[in-house]
Amino acid sequence: MSIEHASITSFRGEHTRLGGTGDVVILPDSAHTAALAAAALGCEVGAIANSLLFDAEGEPVLILTSGAHRVDTAAVAERIGVARLTRADPEFVRRHTGQVIGGVSPLDHPAPVRTWIDPWLRQHPVVWAAAGHPAAVFSTTYDELVEMTGAVEVDVETESQEGTD
């Protein structure tokens, strides 16, 4: 019997507290990219909700994006009303989420983090996201994810890219 990593146990508690109904799945290997997670789960890469933490001049901003999309940071910064978004470094991610890059979940952070969500995730009846550890994921729905995180919709790609996948 193996002992569950503390970050997964913590995630499970918060998931339950928030009324999450999906399953937490521990994968045999780390799935720190959407492509690896999709392959391990047998789903489309677009059904993976990447939890990407950005630094908005010292404030954390979490973008939940479809694994099929890349975030246009300049466009998203303008859409959410911040001067600039930069990819957070590992220390910033750990400080604001309590988790490591590749395993950042959309919930269970030390303090609330402003969160936005890619509306393309609506296309998938089941969405998968990290559960606090690179080898742990959980199933959810778009609506449940919005309810648990308080996320607001934002288009994450440039106008010319939207609708191309």
Side-chain angles (χ1 to χ4, degrees):
M1 180 175 145
S2 65
I3 297 173
E4 185 170 84
H5 193 278
S7 63
I8 301 168
T9 302
S10 178
F11 170 84
R12 283 184 194 274
E14 183 68 357
H15 183 251
T16 299
R17 187 186 75 74
L18 293 172
T21 60
D23 296 321
V24 174
V25 175
I26 310 303
L27 301 170
D29 295 307
S30 172
H32 58 274
T33 68
L36 289 171
L41 294 163
C43 69
E44 292 179 38
V45 73
I48 303 297
N50 284 330
S51 299
L52 303 177
L53 193 75
F54 292 92
D55 182 342
E57 299 181 328
E59 293 300 316
V61 168
L62 187 64
I63 308 291
L64 306 177
T65 184
S66 166
H69 288 162
R70 292 187 58 82
V71 175
D72 179 327
T73 55
V76 171
E78 184 176 323
R79 290 174 188 146
I80 68 173
V82 298
R84 190 170 147 210
L85 287 177
T86 57
R87 189 62 68 112
D89 66 36
E91 193 278 326
F92 186 91
V93 171
R94 186 179 288 280
R95 183 171 69 245
H96 291 286
T97 69
Q99 301 157 359
V100 298
I101 291 174
V104 173
S105 82
L107 43 122
D108 193 31
H109 307 138
V113 176
R114 291 187 309 157
T115 304
W116 280 265
I117 191 167
D118 182 350
W120 277 74
L121 288 166
R122 277 188 195 281
Q123 297 178 41
H124 303 280
V126 176
V127 175
W128 292 90
H133 185 275
V137 294
F138 74 104
S139 61
T140 187
T141 65
Y142 179 88
D143 290 337
E144 183 178 79
L145 194 53
V146 168
E147 188 174 317
M148 287 190 297
T149 63
V152 175
E153 283 189 358
V154 66
D155 289 325
V156 300
E157 295 188 299
T158 59
E159 292 298 327
S160 64
Q161 293 174 312
E162 290 174 2
T164 59
D165 53 88

